[in-house]
């Protein structure tokens, strides 16, 4: 480097062409993300909680959590555990479930 010339500092930003490709990759609707956004129809039992209109799976799970919190169905000692009321017992098939089981238990009630 010649004397008196300043070293070029990296700004950490991608060149303009790469920035567009990066943004496209984040908003791509290929693969599993597209499947999660596809509307599904809840069963009659699940519709009592989330409504009977077709919703994306993400919205169904969100509405389930709204219901669980509204009715205070999380175990106070272990917030990962959901204590089923009468409506949830029909969906879960048992008295309690963990938050990790929720998607699996809901899948049989979505078409």
């Amino acid at each position: 480097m010649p004397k008196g010339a300043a070293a070029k500092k990296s700004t950490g930003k991608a060149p303009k062409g790469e920035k567009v490709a990066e943004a496209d990759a984040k908003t791509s609707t290929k693969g599993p993300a597209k499947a999660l956004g596809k509307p599904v129809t809840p069963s009659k039992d699940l519709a009592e909680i989330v409504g009977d209109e077709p919703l994306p799976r993400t919205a169904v799970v969100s509405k389930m959590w709204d219901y669980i919190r509204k009715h205070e169905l999380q175990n106070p000692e272990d917030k990962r555990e959901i204590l089923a009321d009468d409506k949830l017992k029909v969906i879960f098939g048992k008295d309690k479930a963990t938050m990790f089981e929720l998607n699996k238990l809901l899948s049989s009630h979505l078409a």
Side-chain angles (χ1 to χ4, degrees), residues 62-100:
S62 181
K63 287 186 178 228
M64 284 292 294
W65 276 108
D66 290 343
Y67 178 85
I68 291 164
R69 288 185 190 109
K70 180 180 177 184
H71 293 90
E72 299 177 356
L73 298 174
Q74 282 181 282
N75 182 346
E77 295 172 8
D78 183 2
K79 295 282 187 179
R80 296 174 296 179
E81 190 174 59
I82 302 163
L83 307 173
D85 63 359
D86 292 336
K87 288 182 181 180
L88 289 182
K89 282 181 186 176
V90 174
I91 294 166
F92 293 171
K94 51 188 178 178
D95 292 335
K96 54 186 171 181
T98 67
M99 59 189 260
F100 306 109

Side-chain angles (χ1 to χ4, degrees), residues 6-109:
K8 188 174 182 180
K9 292 184 180 179
S10 174
T11 61
K13 295 181 182 177
K16 288 184 182 179
E18 291 179 33
K19 189 180 273 188
V20 172
E22 185 179 319
D24 288 344
K26 289 181 182 176
T27 59
S28 176
T29 56
K30 295 179 183 176
K34 186 176 182 180
L36 292 175
K38 181 182 174 188
V40 291
T41 306
S43 68
K44 181 181 171 187
D45 296 324
L46 184 58
E48 291 182 24
I49 297 172
V50 301
D52 59 356
E53 294 180 22
L55 298 165
R57 287 179 183 271
T58 54
V60 172
V61 173
S62 181
K63 287 186 178 228
M64 284 292 294
W65 276 108
D66 290 343
Y67 178 85
I68 291 164
R69 288 185 190 109
K70 180 180 177 184
H71 293 90
E72 299 177 356
L73 298 174
Q74 282 181 282
N75 182 346
E77 295 172 8
D78 183 2
K79 295 282 187 179
R80 296 174 296 179
E81 190 174 59
I82 302 163
L83 307 173
D85 63 359
D86 292 336
K87 288 182 181 180
L88 289 182
K89 282 181 186 176
V90 174
I91 294 166
F92 293 171
K94 51 188 178 178
D95 292 335
K96 54 186 171 181
T98 67
M99 59 189 260
F100 306 109
E101 297 174 283
L102 187 59
N103 285 330
K104 182 179 178 183
L105 296 169
L106 290 176
S107 66
S108 64
H109 291 274

